[in-house]
Amino acid sequence: HAADMACYDAKDAGRNAIRFFNPLMQTKASQHAAMERDLRHALTGQQFTLHYQPQVDATGQLCGVEALVRWQHPAQGLLAPGLFIDVAEDTGLIVPLGRWVLQTACQQMVAWSQTQPDARWKMAVNVSARQFHQPGLVQQGMEVLLRTGAPAQRLKLELTESILLLDVADTI
C-alpha cells in the first residue's frame, strides 16, 4: 500500500522520478477519500448552490452572468470550487455535478425571463475536460434546454483550461 502511494506520487511528478513513502502521502490519500465520500453525499443531499457573477459589456451594461458552483458543506461551510473541483474531476463526479449545474443555470435563466421579461442576459456555464470528453454532452445539453425551456442562444458554454491540456487537436 505504501509502495503504491509512492509510485503514484512519482507518476504525478512526471514519471522518471523516485519517491519514498512518507506519512504525508497517507494523509493526502485519506483527505482525498474523505472529500470523495463527502462529494457523493453532497450530490444526493443537494448541498450545492450556484452563485451568479455579473458580466458587463464594453459600455458597462450588464449583459450576462456566469454560473459559479459553491458547496454548502455541512461541517466546513461554503466552499469555493478550488477546494473540491479537482477531486470531482479525478473521481468522475464532475459529470453529475456538471449536469446539475447546467440544469440549475437553465432553470434560473427561465425564472429570470419570467420575472424580468426585458432581461436578455447570457448565462455562462463552465464545462470541464472530463465533461467535454463524455459521450453525449451535446445531447445532454439539448435535453436540458428542452426540459427547462431555456433559450439556447442565451446559453454560453465555457471550456476550462484543463481541456486544452489533454489534446488540443481533438478539442478543436
Side-chain angles (χ1 to χ4, degrees), residues 66-86:
E66 179 177 6
L68 302 171
V69 67
R70 299 291 185 264
W71 179 7
Q72 188 62 54
H73 193 283
Q76 298 176 37
L78 192 64
L79 301 179
L83 298 173
F84 61 89
I85 290 294
D86 286 346

PDB file of all heavy atoms in Angstrom, residues 66-86:
ATOM      1  N   GLU A  66     -22.216  34.589 -15.087  1.00  0.00           N
ATOM      2  CA  GLU A  66     -21.537  33.299 -15.126  1.00  0.00           C
ATOM      3  C   GLU A  66     -21.980  32.511 -13.907  1.00  0.00           C
ATOM      4  O   GLU A  66     -21.935  33.018 -12.778  1.00  0.00           O
ATOM      5  CB  GLU A  66     -20.021  33.480 -15.110  1.00  0.00           C
ATOM      6  CG  GLU A  66     -19.275  32.161 -15.132  1.00  0.00           C
ATOM      7  CD  GLU A  66     -17.758  32.322 -15.193  1.00  0.00           C
ATOM      8  OE1 GLU A  66     -17.256  33.452 -15.112  1.00  0.00           O
ATOM      9  OE2 GLU A  66     -17.072  31.288 -15.320  1.00  0.00           O
ATOM     10  N   ALA A  67     -22.456  31.300 -14.123  1.00  0.00           N
ATOM     11  CA  ALA A  67     -22.894  30.432 -13.030  1.00  0.00           C
ATOM     12  C   ALA A  67     -21.662  29.811 -12.377  1.00  0.00           C
ATOM     13  O   ALA A  67     -20.870  29.138 -13.045  1.00  0.00           O
ATOM     14  CB  ALA A  67     -23.823  29.347 -13.563  1.00  0.00           C
ATOM     15  N   LEU A  68     -21.503  30.033 -11.097  1.00  0.00           N
ATOM     16  CA  LEU A  68     -20.357  29.509 -10.351  1.00  0.00           C
ATOM     17  C   LEU A  68     -20.858  28.622  -9.223  1.00  0.00           C
ATOM     18  O   LEU A  68     -21.644  29.058  -8.377  1.00  0.00           O
ATOM     19  CB  LEU A  68     -19.532  30.667  -9.781  1.00  0.00           C
ATOM     20  CG  LEU A  68     -19.007  31.670 -10.811  1.00  0.00           C
ATOM     21  CD1 LEU A  68     -18.394  32.879 -10.129  1.00  0.00           C
ATOM     22  CD2 LEU A  68     -17.998  30.991 -11.723  1.00  0.00           C
ATOM     23  N   VAL A  69     -20.407  27.382  -9.216  1.00  0.00           N
ATOM     24  CA  VAL A  69     -20.875  26.428  -8.217  1.00  0.00           C
ATOM     25  C   VAL A  69     -20.156  26.642  -6.891  1.00  0.00           C
ATOM     26  O   VAL A  69     -18.961  26.962  -6.849  1.00  0.00           O
ATOM     27  CB  VAL A  69     -20.706  24.965  -8.716  1.00  0.00           C
ATOM     28  CG1 VAL A  69     -19.243  24.573  -8.849  1.00  0.00           C
ATOM     29  CG2 VAL A  69     -21.472  23.989  -7.833  1.00  0.00           C
ATOM     30  N   ARG A  70     -20.917  26.497  -5.828  1.00  0.00           N
ATOM     31  CA  ARG A  70     -20.392  26.531  -4.467  1.00  0.00           C
ATOM     32  C   ARG A  70     -20.981  25.335  -3.737  1.00  0.00           C
ATOM     33  O   ARG A  70     -22.066  24.868  -4.048  1.00  0.00           O
ATOM     34  CB  ARG A  70     -20.801  27.817  -3.730  1.00  0.00           C
ATOM     35  CG  ARG A  70     -20.293  29.105  -4.375  1.00  0.00           C
ATOM     36  CD  ARG A  70     -18.787  29.228  -4.250  1.00  0.00           C
ATOM     37  NE  ARG A  70     -18.295  30.488  -4.756  1.00  0.00           N
ATOM     38  CZ  ARG A  70     -17.816  30.677  -5.972  1.00  0.00           C
ATOM     39  NH1 ARG A  70     -17.786  29.670  -6.831  1.00  0.00           N
ATOM     40  NH2 ARG A  70     -17.362  31.838  -6.356  1.00  0.00           N
ATOM     41  N   TRP A  71     -20.232  24.847  -2.749  1.00  0.00           N
ATOM     42  CA  TRP A  71     -20.673  23.694  -1.975  1.00  0.00           C
ATOM     43  C   TRP A  71     -20.961  24.163  -0.562  1.00  0.00           C
ATOM     44  O   TRP A  71     -20.069  24.643   0.127  1.00  0.00           O
ATOM     45  CB  TRP A  71     -19.593  22.644  -2.003  1.00  0.00           C
ATOM     46  CG  TRP A  71     -19.848  21.389  -1.232  1.00  0.00           C
ATOM     47  CD1 TRP A  71     -20.997  21.001  -0.595  1.00  0.00           C
ATOM     48  CD2 TRP A  71     -18.921  20.330  -1.034  1.00  0.00           C
ATOM     49  NE1 TRP A  71     -20.834  19.781  -0.022  1.00  0.00           N
ATOM     50  CE2 TRP A  71     -19.569  19.342  -0.281  1.00  0.00           C
ATOM     51  CE3 TRP A  71     -17.609  20.128  -1.431  1.00  0.00           C
ATOM     52  CZ2 TRP A  71     -18.933  18.168   0.100  1.00  0.00           C
ATOM     53  CZ3 TRP A  71     -16.978  18.955  -1.057  1.00  0.00           C
ATOM     54  CH2 TRP A  71     -17.629  17.989  -0.302  1.00  0.00           C
ATOM     55  N   GLN A  72     -22.199  24.001  -0.130  1.00  0.00           N
ATOM     56  CA  GLN A  72     -22.568  24.321   1.242  1.00  0.00           C
ATOM     57  C   GLN A  72     -22.318  23.072   2.086  1.00  0.00           C
ATOM     58  O   GLN A  72     -23.207  22.274   2.329  1.00  0.00           O
ATOM     59  CB  GLN A  72     -24.044  24.753   1.314  1.00  0.00           C
ATOM     60  CG  GLN A  72     -24.459  25.281   2.673  1.00  0.00           C
ATOM     61  CD  GLN A  72     -23.689  26.521   3.080  1.00  0.00           C
ATOM     62  OE1 GLN A  72     -23.638  27.507   2.356  1.00  0.00           O
ATOM     63  NE2 GLN A  72     -23.072  26.476   4.246  1.00  0.00           N
ATOM     64  N   HIS A  73     -21.056  22.908   2.466  1.00  0.00           N
ATOM     65  CA  HIS A  73     -20.629  21.723   3.218  1.00  0.00           C
ATOM     66  C   HIS A  73     -21.205  21.809   4.633  1.00  0.00           C
ATOM     67  O   HIS A  73     -21.115  22.857   5.278  1.00  0.00           O
ATOM     68  CB  HIS A  73     -19.098  21.662   3.258  1.00  0.00           C
ATOM     69  CG  HIS A  73     -18.552  20.357   3.728  1.00  0.00           C
ATOM     70  ND1 HIS A  73     -18.547  19.994   5.061  1.00  0.00           N
ATOM     71  CD2 HIS A  73     -17.999  19.318   3.044  1.00  0.00           C
ATOM     72  CE1 HIS A  73     -18.003  18.804   5.173  1.00  0.00           C
ATOM     73  NE2 HIS A  73     -17.671  18.369   3.975  1.00  0.00           N
ATOM     74  N   PRO A  74     -21.786  20.717   5.131  1.00  0.00           N
ATOM     75  CA  PRO A  74     -22.432  20.783   6.448  1.00  0.00           C
ATOM     76  C   PRO A  74     -21.472  21.086   7.595  1.00  0.00           C
ATOM     77  O   PRO A  74     -21.878  21.677   8.591  1.00  0.00           O
ATOM     78  CB  PRO A  74     -23.067  19.392   6.613  1.00  0.00           C
ATOM     79  CG  PRO A  74     -22.485  18.531   5.558  1.00  0.00           C
ATOM     80  CD  PRO A  74     -21.936  19.417   4.487  1.00  0.00           C
ATOM     81  N   ALA A  75     -20.216  20.710   7.485  1.00  0.00           N
ATOM     82  CA  ALA A  75     -19.264  20.947   8.573  1.00  0.00           C
ATOM     83  C   ALA A  75     -18.306  22.099   8.274  1.00  0.00           C
ATOM     84  O   ALA A  75     -17.879  22.808   9.180  1.00  0.00           O
ATOM     85  CB  ALA A  75     -18.464  19.677   8.852  1.00  0.00           C
ATOM     86  N   GLN A  76     -17.957  22.309   6.990  1.00  0.00           N
ATOM     87  CA  GLN A  76     -16.930  23.290   6.647  1.00  0.00           C
ATOM     88  C   GLN A  76     -17.485  24.608   6.118  1.00  0.00           C
ATOM     89  O   GLN A  76     -16.729  25.521   5.821  1.00  0.00           O
ATOM     90  CB  GLN A  76     -15.981  22.687   5.612  1.00  0.00           C
ATOM     91  CG  GLN A  76     -15.251  21.458   6.124  1.00  0.00           C
ATOM     92  CD  GLN A  76     -14.395  20.825   5.049  1.00  0.00           C
ATOM     93  OE1 GLN A  76     -13.798  21.511   4.229  1.00  0.00           O
ATOM     94  NE2 GLN A  76     -14.333  19.500   5.035  1.00  0.00           N
ATOM     95  N   GLY A  77     -18.783  24.701   5.951  1.00  0.00           N
ATOM     96  CA  GLY A  77     -19.382  25.939   5.444  1.00  0.00           C
ATOM     97  C   GLY A  77     -19.320  26.015   3.924  1.00  0.00           C
ATOM     98  O   GLY A  77     -19.176  24.998   3.243  1.00  0.00           O
ATOM     99  N   LEU A  78     -19.412  27.231   3.412  1.00  0.00           N
ATOM    100  CA  LEU A  78     -19.454  27.450   1.963  1.00  0.00           C
ATOM    101  C   LEU A  78     -18.058  27.282   1.364  1.00  0.00           C
ATOM    102  O   LEU A  78     -17.127  27.997   1.732  1.00  0.00           O
ATOM    103  CB  LEU A  78     -19.990  28.855   1.672  1.00  0.00           C
ATOM    104  CG  LEU A  78     -20.373  29.143   0.238  1.00  0.00           C
ATOM    105  CD1 LEU A  78     -21.542  28.260  -0.209  1.00  0.00           C
ATOM    106  CD2 LEU A  78     -20.768  30.620   0.086  1.00  0.00           C
ATOM    107  N   LEU A  79     -17.930  26.330   0.426  1.00  0.00           N
ATOM    108  CA  LEU A  79     -16.638  26.032  -0.187  1.00  0.00           C
ATOM    109  C   LEU A  79     -16.608  26.501  -1.632  1.00  0.00           C
ATOM    110  O   LEU A  79     -17.533  26.231  -2.401  1.00  0.00           O
ATOM    111  CB  LEU A  79     -16.356  24.524  -0.144  1.00  0.00           C
ATOM    112  CG  LEU A  79     -16.316  23.866   1.233  1.00  0.00           C
ATOM    113  CD1 LEU A  79     -16.044  22.369   1.094  1.00  0.00           C
ATOM    114  CD2 LEU A  79     -15.276  24.514   2.119  1.00  0.00           C
ATOM    115  N   ALA A  80     -15.526  27.173  -2.008  1.00  0.00           N
ATOM    116  CA  ALA A  80     -15.312  27.599  -3.387  1.00  0.00           C
ATOM    117  C   ALA A  80     -14.865  26.392  -4.213  1.00  0.00           C
ATOM    118  O   ALA A  80     -14.340  25.414  -3.673  1.00  0.00           O
ATOM    119  CB  ALA A  80     -14.242  28.695  -3.431  1.00  0.00           C
ATOM    120  N   PRO A  81     -15.044  26.441  -5.538  1.00  0.00           N
ATOM    121  CA  PRO A  81     -14.727  25.293  -6.394  1.00  0.00           C
ATOM    122  C   PRO A  81     -13.277  24.826  -6.304  1.00  0.00           C
ATOM    123  O   PRO A  81     -13.011  23.634  -6.459  1.00  0.00           O
ATOM    124  CB  PRO A  81     -15.041  25.773  -7.803  1.00  0.00           C
ATOM    125  CG  PRO A  81     -15.732  27.068  -7.680  1.00  0.00           C
ATOM    126  CD  PRO A  81     -15.606  27.547  -6.285  1.00  0.00           C
ATOM    127  N   GLY A  82     -12.351  25.728  -6.063  1.00  0.00           N
ATOM    128  CA  GLY A  82     -10.948  25.351  -5.985  1.00  0.00           C
ATOM    129  C   GLY A  82     -10.663  24.304  -4.919  1.00  0.00           C
ATOM    130  O   GLY A  82      -9.658  23.609  -4.977  1.00  0.00           O
ATOM    131  N   LEU A  83     -11.576  24.170  -3.964  1.00  0.00           N
ATOM    132  CA  LEU A  83     -11.371  23.212  -2.875  1.00  0.00           C
ATOM    133  C   LEU A  83     -11.932  21.831  -3.173  1.00  0.00           C
ATOM    134  O   LEU A  83     -11.641  20.882  -2.449  1.00  0.00           O
ATOM    135  CB  LEU A  83     -12.002  23.756  -1.582  1.00  0.00           C
ATOM    136  CG  LEU A  83     -11.404  25.061  -1.073  1.00  0.00           C
ATOM    137  CD1 LEU A  83     -12.206  25.594   0.101  1.00  0.00           C
ATOM    138  CD2 LEU A  83      -9.943  24.856  -0.675  1.00  0.00           C
ATOM    139  N   PHE A  84     -12.745  21.687  -4.237  1.00  0.00           N
ATOM    140  CA  PHE A  84     -13.346  20.382  -4.483  1.00  0.00           C
ATOM    141  C   PHE A  84     -13.409  19.952  -5.949  1.00  0.00           C
ATOM    142  O   PHE A  84     -13.606  18.779  -6.242  1.00  0.00           O
ATOM    143  CB  PHE A  84     -14.754  20.295  -3.879  1.00  0.00           C
ATOM    144  CG  PHE A  84     -15.746  21.283  -4.434  1.00  0.00           C
ATOM    145  CD1 PHE A  84     -16.512  20.972  -5.549  1.00  0.00           C
ATOM    146  CD2 PHE A  84     -15.933  22.521  -3.825  1.00  0.00           C
ATOM    147  CE1 PHE A  84     -17.437  21.872  -6.056  1.00  0.00           C
ATOM    148  CE2 PHE A  84     -16.856  23.424  -4.321  1.00  0.00           C
ATOM    149  CZ  PHE A  84     -17.616  23.095  -5.443  1.00  0.00           C
ATOM    150  N   ILE A  85     -13.211  20.856  -6.886  1.00  0.00           N
ATOM    151  CA  ILE A  85     -13.357  20.503  -8.301  1.00  0.00           C
ATOM    152  C   ILE A  85     -12.324  19.468  -8.743  1.00  0.00           C
ATOM    153  O   ILE A  85     -12.644  18.552  -9.502  1.00  0.00           O
ATOM    154  CB  ILE A  85     -13.315  21.760  -9.202  1.00  0.00           C
ATOM    155  CG1 ILE A  85     -14.588  22.579  -9.003  1.00  0.00           C
ATOM    156  CG2 ILE A  85     -13.122  21.397 -10.663  1.00  0.00           C
ATOM    157  CD1 ILE A  85     -15.870  21.920  -9.465  1.00  0.00           C
ATOM    158  N   ASP A  86     -11.087  19.578  -8.269  1.00  0.00           N
ATOM    159  CA  ASP A  86     -10.060  18.601  -8.667  1.00  0.00           C
ATOM    160  C   ASP A  86     -10.457  17.184  -8.260  1.00  0.00           C
ATOM    161  O   ASP A  86     -10.279  16.236  -9.034  1.00  0.00           O
ATOM    162  CB  ASP A  86      -8.699  18.955  -8.065  1.00  0.00           C
ATOM    163  CG  ASP A  86      -8.042  20.142  -8.752  1.00  0.00           C
ATOM    164  OD1 ASP A  86      -8.507  20.518  -9.844  1.00  0.00           O
ATOM    165  OD2 ASP A  86      -7.073  20.684  -8.190  1.00  0.00           O
TER     166      ASP A  86
END
